[in-house]
Amino acid sequence: IALAIRLEKHELIEFRRIAAYLFKMNNRWEQAVKLCKKDLLFKDAMEYAADSRNPQIAEELITWFLENKNHECFAAGTFVMYDMLRPDLILELAWKHNIIDFAMPYLIQSLKEYTQK
């Protein structure tokens, strides 16, 4: 952890990426995702949120993407973090931000799973 804390403030992005990975390996999911967001490492942020298996972390990341008008990452995040996201939340956020098209693949898959039960 001490190394991760030191690397977190390093000037080179790859060292900060290593810090995020070390946080992940030590189950410090919030710190790992926060560092990835700061460095705009969106793929890593989504993967770490998915690995955390924590719906709150996934929902916060999805909401953060929308606050920053990053609709493509919102759509990608619904795929990567699918198991931890609630369909009602995704529908509500997409409706509020007028981006239903970006949420539609997630919603179709959720509806398919619901009707096959």
Side-chain angles (χ1 to χ4, degrees):
I1 295 296
L3 177 60
I5 292 170
R6 237 177 52 219
L7 291 176
E8 182 178 23
K9 296 172 182 20
H10 200 279
E11 63 184 50
L12 297 176
I13 192 169
E14 283 305 316
F15 283 98
R16 293 193 303 272
R17 190 173 189 197
I18 292 169
Y21 181 76
L22 291 172
F23 283 133
K24 173 198 165 212
M25 296 306 292
N26 286 286
N27 295 327
R28 295 192 175 200
W29 305 106
E30 287 100 358
Q31 285 178 285
V33 172
K34 181 181 175 185
L35 188 55
C36 290
K37 290 189 308 189
K38 179 181 158 195
D39 288 332
L40 307 180
L41 299 169
F42 301 139
K43 181 178 179 240
D44 289 350
M46 287 185 264
E47 288 175 0
Y48 296 168
D51 290 345
S52 76
R53 309 299 303 156
N54 184 335
Q56 182 181 356
I57 293 173
E59 290 173 6
E60 287 174 5
L61 182 59
I62 285 289
T63 304
W64 184 84
F65 285 141
L66 290 178
E67 289 168 357
N68 290 282
K69 300 193 183 329
N70 197 334
H71 302 145
E72 292 80 10
C73 284
F74 169 82
T78 61
F79 175 74
V80 174
M81 301 177 284
Y82 180 83
D83 294 335
M84 285 161 298
L85 298 170
R86 298 182 335 243
D88 64 312
L89 175 75
I90 298 304
L91 181 59
E92 178 185 348
L93 291 172
W95 177 69
K96 281 183 177 178
H97 292 270
N98 199 25
I99 57 164
I100 292 291
D101 289 347
F102 287 93
M104 197 51 68
Y106 173 86
L107 296 171
I108 291 169
Q109 184 63 34
S110 296
L111 188 59
K112 181 181 177 189
E113 285 184 8
Y114 178 74
T115 58
Q116 288 181 343
K117 288 183 181 178

